[in-house]
Amino acid sequence: MATFDVIHTASAVSNALHVLAAVVWVGGMFFAYLILRPAVGGIEPAPERLKLWSRVFPRFFAWVWAAVVVLPLTGYWRLFLDFGGFARAGGYVHLMHVLGLVMIGLFVFLYVFPYRRFQVAVAASDFPTAAPQLAVIRRIVGTNLALGLFVAAVAAFGRLWV
Ligand code: HEM
């Protein structure tokens, strides 16, 4: 296989992984925020609802960790190897890059602070401490969901528009 074919194939794989990571992360937040959250509203807040979220989050966040590693790796691959760096990339890629880093920063913050506190509190059956942490997690996920939908739309729109 010629060198060009190898690089071309690697770029196509990279692009596919990038989009799949975005779908898993943003789609997961969409489901959690807009489907699961209202659906569990009828369950008694403490302890049942808090315990349910404490079982949902570790499963979802494992996938989000995969996405927050894959997105920049594949994004920078395309940015530097296909576009030739920031100077040659369209404004929509710059916007995606900045907002992508903001989303990743928000997720890492969420994981290290409110999520850890939430899990420790639920494990200790300290539900009055857990409830406000869940509210912080909800706000951050809501923000990241809005950013993620916007970034995905900007990526798809900008690609054809620029
Ligand atoms: C460090 C962060 C990121 C970088 C450096 C980056 C970079 C890139 C680059 C260079 C492309 C190719 C654009 C093109 O083919 O015209 C791309 C495509 C794309 N990105 Fe990102 N990205 C990042 C984060 C994100 C995030 C957080 C999302 C969504 C939540 C996202 C969603 C997409 C989508 C959906 C495409 C495909 C657009 C298409 O093929 O039509 N990216 N990204």
Side-chain angles (χ1 to χ4, degrees), residues 92-109:
Y92 72 98
V93 173
H94 289 245
L95 190 57
M96 172 168 20
H97 173 238
V98 170
L99 294 181
L101 292 184
V102 170
M103 287 177 65
I104 291 168
L106 282 172
F107 171 71
V108 173
F109 172 84

PDB file of all heavy atoms in Angstrom, residues 92-109:
ATOM      1  N   TYR A  92     -14.460  27.346  11.887  1.00  0.00           N
ATOM      2  CA  TYR A  92     -15.322  26.386  12.587  1.00  0.00           C
ATOM      3  C   TYR A  92     -14.484  25.359  13.337  1.00  0.00           C
ATOM      4  O   TYR A  92     -14.886  24.870  14.388  1.00  0.00           O
ATOM      5  CB  TYR A  92     -16.288  25.703  11.608  1.00  0.00           C
ATOM      6  CG  TYR A  92     -15.646  24.706  10.672  1.00  0.00           C
ATOM      7  CD1 TYR A  92     -15.689  23.346  10.943  1.00  0.00           C
ATOM      8  CD2 TYR A  92     -14.991  25.117   9.519  1.00  0.00           C
ATOM      9  CE1 TYR A  92     -15.102  22.425  10.095  1.00  0.00           C
ATOM     10  CE2 TYR A  92     -14.393  24.210   8.674  1.00  0.00           C
ATOM     11  CZ  TYR A  92     -14.446  22.861   8.969  1.00  0.00           C
ATOM     12  OH  TYR A  92     -13.857  21.962   8.133  1.00  0.00           O
ATOM     13  N   VAL A  93     -13.268  25.028  12.812  1.00  0.00           N
ATOM     14  CA  VAL A  93     -12.388  24.077  13.506  1.00  0.00           C
ATOM     15  C   VAL A  93     -11.815  24.740  14.765  1.00  0.00           C
ATOM     16  O   VAL A  93     -11.733  24.117  15.825  1.00  0.00           O
ATOM     17  CB  VAL A  93     -11.259  23.556  12.580  1.00  0.00           C
ATOM     18  CG1 VAL A  93     -10.271  22.701  13.365  1.00  0.00           C
ATOM     19  CG2 VAL A  93     -11.834  22.752  11.427  1.00  0.00           C
ATOM     20  N   HIS A  94     -11.464  26.036  14.659  1.00  0.00           N
ATOM     21  CA  HIS A  94     -10.961  26.767  15.828  1.00  0.00           C
ATOM     22  C   HIS A  94     -12.031  26.796  16.921  1.00  0.00           C
ATOM     23  O   HIS A  94     -11.735  26.568  18.100  1.00  0.00           O
ATOM     24  CB  HIS A  94     -10.586  28.199  15.440  1.00  0.00           C
ATOM     25  CG  HIS A  94      -9.348  28.262  14.589  1.00  0.00           C
ATOM     26  ND1 HIS A  94      -8.183  28.860  15.000  1.00  0.00           N
ATOM     27  CD2 HIS A  94      -9.098  27.788  13.352  1.00  0.00           C
ATOM     28  CE1 HIS A  94      -7.271  28.743  14.048  1.00  0.00           C
ATOM     29  NE2 HIS A  94      -7.812  28.103  13.038  1.00  0.00           N
ATOM     30  N   LEU A  95     -13.265  27.081  16.508  1.00  0.00           N
ATOM     31  CA  LEU A  95     -14.366  27.151  17.473  1.00  0.00           C
ATOM     32  C   LEU A  95     -14.584  25.771  18.114  1.00  0.00           C
ATOM     33  O   LEU A  95     -14.753  25.661  19.339  1.00  0.00           O
ATOM     34  CB  LEU A  95     -15.640  27.630  16.758  1.00  0.00           C
ATOM     35  CG  LEU A  95     -16.828  27.993  17.635  1.00  0.00           C
ATOM     36  CD1 LEU A  95     -16.462  29.069  18.651  1.00  0.00           C
ATOM     37  CD2 LEU A  95     -17.988  28.494  16.763  1.00  0.00           C
ATOM     38  N   MET A  96     -14.558  24.731  17.278  1.00  0.00           N
ATOM     39  CA  MET A  96     -14.731  23.364  17.796  1.00  0.00           C
ATOM     40  C   MET A  96     -13.630  23.030  18.800  1.00  0.00           C
ATOM     41  O   MET A  96     -13.896  22.456  19.862  1.00  0.00           O
ATOM     42  CB  MET A  96     -14.697  22.355  16.640  1.00  0.00           C
ATOM     43  CG  MET A  96     -14.668  20.929  17.113  1.00  0.00           C
ATOM     44  SD  MET A  96     -14.965  19.689  15.832  1.00  0.00           S
ATOM     45  CE  MET A  96     -14.642  20.487  14.326  1.00  0.00           C
ATOM     46  N   HIS A  97     -12.411  23.415  18.459  1.00  0.00           N
ATOM     47  CA  HIS A  97     -11.272  23.133  19.319  1.00  0.00           C
ATOM     48  C   HIS A  97     -11.444  23.791  20.689  1.00  0.00           C
ATOM     49  O   HIS A  97     -11.357  23.129  21.726  1.00  0.00           O
ATOM     50  CB  HIS A  97      -9.999  23.630  18.618  1.00  0.00           C
ATOM     51  CG  HIS A  97      -8.779  23.546  19.458  1.00  0.00           C
ATOM     52  ND1 HIS A  97      -8.005  24.647  19.741  1.00  0.00           N
ATOM     53  CD2 HIS A  97      -8.204  22.510  20.107  1.00  0.00           C
ATOM     54  CE1 HIS A  97      -7.013  24.257  20.515  1.00  0.00           C
ATOM     55  NE2 HIS A  97      -7.104  22.983  20.743  1.00  0.00           N
ATOM     56  N   VAL A  98     -11.744  25.102  20.684  1.00  0.00           N
ATOM     57  CA  VAL A  98     -11.871  25.840  21.955  1.00  0.00           C
ATOM     58  C   VAL A  98     -13.036  25.280  22.778  1.00  0.00           C
ATOM     59  O   VAL A  98     -12.885  24.967  23.973  1.00  0.00           O
ATOM     60  CB  VAL A  98     -12.068  27.355  21.696  1.00  0.00           C
ATOM     61  CG1 VAL A  98     -12.431  28.077  22.987  1.00  0.00           C
ATOM     62  CG2 VAL A  98     -10.808  27.953  21.099  1.00  0.00           C
ATOM     63  N   LEU A  99     -14.201  25.123  22.125  1.00  0.00           N
ATOM     64  CA  LEU A  99     -15.365  24.633  22.872  1.00  0.00           C
ATOM     65  C   LEU A  99     -15.175  23.178  23.300  1.00  0.00           C
ATOM     66  O   LEU A  99     -15.637  22.775  24.372  1.00  0.00           O
ATOM     67  CB  LEU A  99     -16.645  24.803  22.045  1.00  0.00           C
ATOM     68  CG  LEU A  99     -17.045  26.261  21.785  1.00  0.00           C
ATOM     69  CD1 LEU A  99     -18.345  26.333  20.986  1.00  0.00           C
ATOM     70  CD2 LEU A  99     -17.216  27.033  23.090  1.00  0.00           C
ATOM     71  N   GLY A 100     -14.468  22.397  22.469  1.00  0.00           N
ATOM     72  CA  GLY A 100     -14.162  21.007  22.844  1.00  0.00           C
ATOM     73  C   GLY A 100     -13.325  20.971  24.112  1.00  0.00           C
ATOM     74  O   GLY A 100     -13.596  20.181  25.019  1.00  0.00           O
ATOM     75  N   LEU A 101     -12.326  21.855  24.198  1.00  0.00           N
ATOM     76  CA  LEU A 101     -11.482  21.891  25.407  1.00  0.00           C
ATOM     77  C   LEU A 101     -12.285  22.354  26.628  1.00  0.00           C
ATOM     78  O   LEU A 101     -12.087  21.851  27.739  1.00  0.00           O
ATOM     79  CB  LEU A 101     -10.263  22.793  25.183  1.00  0.00           C
ATOM     80  CG  LEU A 101      -9.221  22.277  24.174  1.00  0.00           C
ATOM     81  CD1 LEU A 101      -8.016  23.216  24.127  1.00  0.00           C
ATOM     82  CD2 LEU A 101      -8.754  20.859  24.506  1.00  0.00           C
ATOM     83  N   VAL A 102     -13.215  23.310  26.397  1.00  0.00           N
ATOM     84  CA  VAL A 102     -14.069  23.762  27.514  1.00  0.00           C
ATOM     85  C   VAL A 102     -14.915  22.579  28.011  1.00  0.00           C
ATOM     86  O   VAL A 102     -15.018  22.322  29.223  1.00  0.00           O
ATOM     87  CB  VAL A 102     -14.989  24.936  27.077  1.00  0.00           C
ATOM     88  CG1 VAL A 102     -16.039  25.236  28.147  1.00  0.00           C
ATOM     89  CG2 VAL A 102     -14.157  26.188  26.787  1.00  0.00           C
ATOM     90  N   MET A 103     -15.496  21.821  27.064  1.00  0.00           N
ATOM     91  CA  MET A 103     -16.322  20.660  27.442  1.00  0.00           C
ATOM     92  C   MET A 103     -15.506  19.636  28.237  1.00  0.00           C
ATOM     93  O   MET A 103     -15.975  19.096  29.233  1.00  0.00           O
ATOM     94  CB  MET A 103     -16.879  19.976  26.183  1.00  0.00           C
ATOM     95  CG  MET A 103     -17.983  20.750  25.485  1.00  0.00           C
ATOM     96  SD  MET A 103     -18.490  19.903  23.967  1.00  0.00           S
ATOM     97  CE  MET A 103     -19.184  18.385  24.600  1.00  0.00           C
ATOM     98  N   ILE A 104     -14.291  19.383  27.762  1.00  0.00           N
ATOM     99  CA  ILE A 104     -13.438  18.392  28.431  1.00  0.00           C
ATOM    100  C   ILE A 104     -13.077  18.886  29.833  1.00  0.00           C
ATOM    101  O   ILE A 104     -13.141  18.138  30.810  1.00  0.00           O
ATOM    102  CB  ILE A 104     -12.179  18.101  27.581  1.00  0.00           C
ATOM    103  CG1 ILE A 104     -12.594  17.353  26.309  1.00  0.00           C
ATOM    104  CG2 ILE A 104     -11.145  17.289  28.370  1.00  0.00           C
ATOM    105  CD1 ILE A 104     -11.507  17.262  25.248  1.00  0.00           C
ATOM    106  N   GLY A 105     -12.735  20.185  29.940  1.00  0.00           N
ATOM    107  CA  GLY A 105     -12.411  20.775  31.242  1.00  0.00           C
ATOM    108  C   GLY A 105     -13.587  20.663  32.207  1.00  0.00           C
ATOM    109  O   GLY A 105     -13.413  20.306  33.381  1.00  0.00           O
ATOM    110  N   LEU A 106     -14.794  20.946  31.701  1.00  0.00           N
ATOM    111  CA  LEU A 106     -15.988  20.852  32.554  1.00  0.00           C
ATOM    112  C   LEU A 106     -16.204  19.416  33.021  1.00  0.00           C
ATOM    113  O   LEU A 106     -16.552  19.165  34.179  1.00  0.00           O
ATOM    114  CB  LEU A 106     -17.229  21.350  31.796  1.00  0.00           C
ATOM    115  CG  LEU A 106     -17.386  22.861  31.689  1.00  0.00           C
ATOM    116  CD1 LEU A 106     -18.548  23.226  30.759  1.00  0.00           C
ATOM    117  CD2 LEU A 106     -17.637  23.465  33.076  1.00  0.00           C
ATOM    118  N   PHE A 107     -15.981  18.468  32.112  1.00  0.00           N
ATOM    119  CA  PHE A 107     -16.173  17.069  32.499  1.00  0.00           C
ATOM    120  C   PHE A 107     -15.162  16.644  33.563  1.00  0.00           C
ATOM    121  O   PHE A 107     -15.520  15.998  34.552  1.00  0.00           O
ATOM    122  CB  PHE A 107     -16.091  16.128  31.292  1.00  0.00           C
ATOM    123  CG  PHE A 107     -16.082  14.684  31.723  1.00  0.00           C
ATOM    124  CD1 PHE A 107     -17.231  14.103  32.246  1.00  0.00           C
ATOM    125  CD2 PHE A 107     -14.921  13.925  31.665  1.00  0.00           C
ATOM    126  CE1 PHE A 107     -17.224  12.781  32.706  1.00  0.00           C
ATOM    127  CE2 PHE A 107     -14.908  12.613  32.120  1.00  0.00           C
ATOM    128  CZ  PHE A 107     -16.063  12.031  32.636  1.00  0.00           C
ATOM    129  N   VAL A 108     -13.899  17.015  33.371  1.00  0.00           N
ATOM    130  CA  VAL A 108     -12.865  16.622  34.342  1.00  0.00           C
ATOM    131  C   VAL A 108     -13.190  17.242  35.709  1.00  0.00           C
ATOM    132  O   VAL A 108     -13.112  16.578  36.744  1.00  0.00           O
ATOM    133  CB  VAL A 108     -11.454  17.026  33.853  1.00  0.00           C
ATOM    134  CG1 VAL A 108     -10.406  16.780  34.934  1.00  0.00           C
ATOM    135  CG2 VAL A 108     -11.086  16.240  32.588  1.00  0.00           C
ATOM    136  N   PHE A 109     -13.616  18.527  35.702  1.00  0.00           N
ATOM    137  CA  PHE A 109     -14.011  19.186  36.951  1.00  0.00           C
ATOM    138  C   PHE A 109     -15.161  18.406  37.613  1.00  0.00           C
ATOM    139  O   PHE A 109     -15.123  18.104  38.808  1.00  0.00           O
ATOM    140  CB  PHE A 109     -14.433  20.634  36.673  1.00  0.00           C
ATOM    141  CG  PHE A 109     -15.033  21.314  37.866  1.00  0.00           C
ATOM    142  CD1 PHE A 109     -14.211  21.902  38.818  1.00  0.00           C
ATOM    143  CD2 PHE A 109     -16.403  21.345  38.053  1.00  0.00           C
ATOM    144  CE1 PHE A 109     -14.753  22.511  39.947  1.00  0.00           C
ATOM    145  CE2 PHE A 109     -16.954  21.941  39.178  1.00  0.00           C
ATOM    146  CZ  PHE A 109     -16.129  22.532  40.121  1.00  0.00           C
TER     147      PHE A 109
END
